[in-house]
């Protein structure tokens, strides 16, 4: 694809954004690891209580997911989610340059032998998760221990300088990067070579998604992981990386088993997607403050046919 030439105004805008991005990264790297929890708490209160960034969206989402909880409990979950996400960003920045030993030390895998055998036996696999726990650190653990040369599928950032910075970060982790637009062909090729594909599957899927229940409400959900599974015949797994304490996590891997005839059709895509999202919901119910409630999960309205 031919790159568009940036205008002077666009280039200046992107450079200023990139400078701000580097400033934030630099500031976060200066925070001692022992202070990450307290600093993220202060920033969360600022963002949630003062700036009120997407606060109404987060509160509405939590109320939809947990109508049985009191208003105070719902607010506590939403506020905790803000601190979790800010702490996650700080943790990821701190993780730049970590050694293999450090990654293994901070991310425990209780069922290590089973997961290791899964990676060795299956070769290519689809590893899906949602905006839950610390998915970035989880991918690092997968990269270093279980699958050879995994690839992460993600959207291209609009700012090309930030995008290149994220690409370099992925490469340092040992993971390749596949952009979501036009990812199907390359993804299938990598699966055929025995590589693993990691992707987030809980964004609003818009008109191209399929509607499946999420906390009792129908949500348009991307079909990418289900489509890769059906087209390749490779297994699909849900992985979680739950924070136990700052810079301390537990990773779990659970196979998504769905009885289908293997055909690529709407019924099978919906079945696989439904089971995947049900597995995500199971983990979110256990650790509700470790989910990113501020994104518009139920953006696309559902209408019964």
């Amino acid at each position: 694809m031919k790159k568009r030439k940036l205008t002077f105004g666009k280039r200046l805008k992107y450079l200023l954004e990139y400078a701000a991005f580097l400033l934030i990264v630099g500031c976060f790297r200066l925070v001692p690891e022992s202070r990450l929890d307290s600093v993220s708490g202060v920033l969360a209160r600022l963002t949630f209580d003062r700036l009120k960034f997407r606060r109404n969206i987060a509160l509405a989402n939590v109320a939809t997911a947990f109508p049985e909880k009191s208003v105070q409990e719902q607010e506590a979950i939403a506020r905790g989610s803000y601190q979790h996400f800010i702490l996650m960003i700080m943790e990821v920045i701190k993780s730049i340059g970590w050694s293999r030993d450090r990654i293994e030390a901070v991310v425990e895998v209780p069922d290590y032998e089973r997961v290791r055998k899964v990676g060795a036996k299956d070769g290519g696999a689809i590893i899906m998760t949602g905006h839950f726990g610390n998915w970035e650190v989880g991918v690092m653990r997968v990269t270093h221990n279980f699958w050879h040369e995994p690839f992460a599928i993600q959207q291209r950032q609009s700012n090309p300088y930030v995008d290149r910075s994220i690409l370099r970060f992925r490469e340092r982790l040992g993971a390749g990067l596949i952009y979501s637009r036009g990812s199907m062909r390359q993804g299938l090729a990598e699966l055929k070579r025995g590589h693993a594909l990691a992707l987030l599957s809980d964004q609003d899927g818009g008109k191209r998604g399929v509607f499946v229940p999420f906390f009792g409400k129908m949500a348009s959900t991307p079909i990418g992981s289900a489509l890769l599974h059906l087209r390749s015949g490779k297994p699909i797994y849900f992985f979680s990386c739950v924070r136990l304490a700052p810079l301390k996590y537990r990773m779990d891997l659970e196979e998504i088993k769905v009885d289908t005839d293997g055909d690529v059709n709407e019924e099978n895509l919906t079945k696989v997607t439904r089971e995947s999202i049900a597995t995500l919901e199971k983990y979110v119910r256990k650790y509700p403050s470790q989910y990113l409630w501020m994104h518009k999960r139920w953006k696309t309205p559902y209408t019964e046919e």
Side-chain angles (χ1 to χ4, degrees), residues 262-273:
D263 288 344
V264 179
N265 54 46
E266 185 174 356
E267 180 182 358
N268 287 335
L269 288 169
T270 302
K271 280 183 178 181
V272 176
T273 304

Side-chain angles (χ1 to χ4, degrees), residues 115-143:
V115 177
R116 185 188 63 80
K117 289 177 181 177
V118 165
K121 177 183 67 176
D122 290 325
I126 300 100
I127 307 170
M128 60 79 59
T129 189
H131 291 82
F132 172 72
N134 193 325
W135 62 88
E136 294 288 351
V137 170
V139 169
M140 290 171 64
R141 187 70 154 106
V142 168
T143 298

Side-chain angles (χ1 to χ4, degrees), residues 133-167:
N134 193 325
W135 62 88
E136 294 288 351
V137 170
V139 169
M140 290 171 64
R141 187 70 154 106
V142 168
T143 298
H144 283 276
N145 291 108
F146 303 115
W147 273 276
H148 176 62
E149 295 183 13
F151 284 78
I153 298 178
Q154 70 176 44
Q155 289 185 347
R156 186 186 297 272
Q157 302 298 310
S158 58
N159 187 313
Y161 304 108
V162 174
D163 190 73
R164 281 198 292 271
S165 182
I166 293 173
L167 176 60

Side-chain angles (χ1 to χ4, degrees), residues 201-239:
S201 300
D202 67 329
Q203 304 96 322
D204 179 84
K207 295 180 179 179
R208 294 184 177 182
V210 296
F211 281 94
V212 297
F214 187 56
F215 284 91
K217 183 176 180 179
M218 300 301 283
S220 177
T221 305
I223 61 172
S225 56
L227 188 57
L228 286 164
H229 167 65
L230 291 170
R231 284 191 174 179
S232 68
K234 299 292 184 179
I236 178 171
Y237 297 92
F238 175 84
F239 91 93

Side-chain angles (χ1 to χ4, degrees), residues 198-295:
L199 67 162
L200 298 169
S201 300
D202 67 329
Q203 304 96 322
D204 179 84
K207 295 180 179 179
R208 294 184 177 182
V210 296
F211 281 94
V212 297
F214 187 56
F215 284 91
K217 183 176 180 179
M218 300 301 283
S220 177
T221 305
I223 61 172
S225 56
L227 188 57
L228 286 164
H229 167 65
L230 291 170
R231 284 191 174 179
S232 68
K234 299 292 184 179
I236 178 171
Y237 297 92
F238 175 84
F239 91 93
S240 65
C241 188
V242 175
R243 180 186 294 111
L244 305 176
L247 293 174
K248 187 66 178 176
Y249 324 92
R250 185 187 68 243
M251 195 193 91
D252 295 303
L253 191 75
E254 184 173 337
E255 185 171 1
I256 305 297
K257 294 184 178 180
V258 184
D259 186 18
T260 71
D261 57 13
D263 288 344
V264 179
N265 54 46
E266 185 174 356
E267 180 182 358
N268 287 335
L269 288 169
T270 302
K271 280 183 178 181
V272 176
T273 304
R274 182 188 295 116
E275 187 62 29
S276 301
I277 295 303
T279 305
L280 168 64
E281 181 181 324
K282 178 178 69 176
Y283 281 87
V284 176
R285 285 189 179 277
K286 291 182 181 178
Y287 306 94
S289 290
Q290 294 197 33
Y291 189 64
L292 188 65
W293 293 108
M294 66 183 76
H295 76 295

Side-chain angles (χ1 to χ4, degrees), residues 4-18 158-161:
R4 290 184 179 181
K5 189 174 181 180
L6 295 177
T7 64
F8 174 78
K10 270 289 190 188
R11 188 181 297 276
L12 180 61
K13 175 178 178 291
Y14 287 149
L15 285 171
L16 291 173
E17 289 175 350
Y18 184 53
S158 58
N159 187 313
Y161 304 108

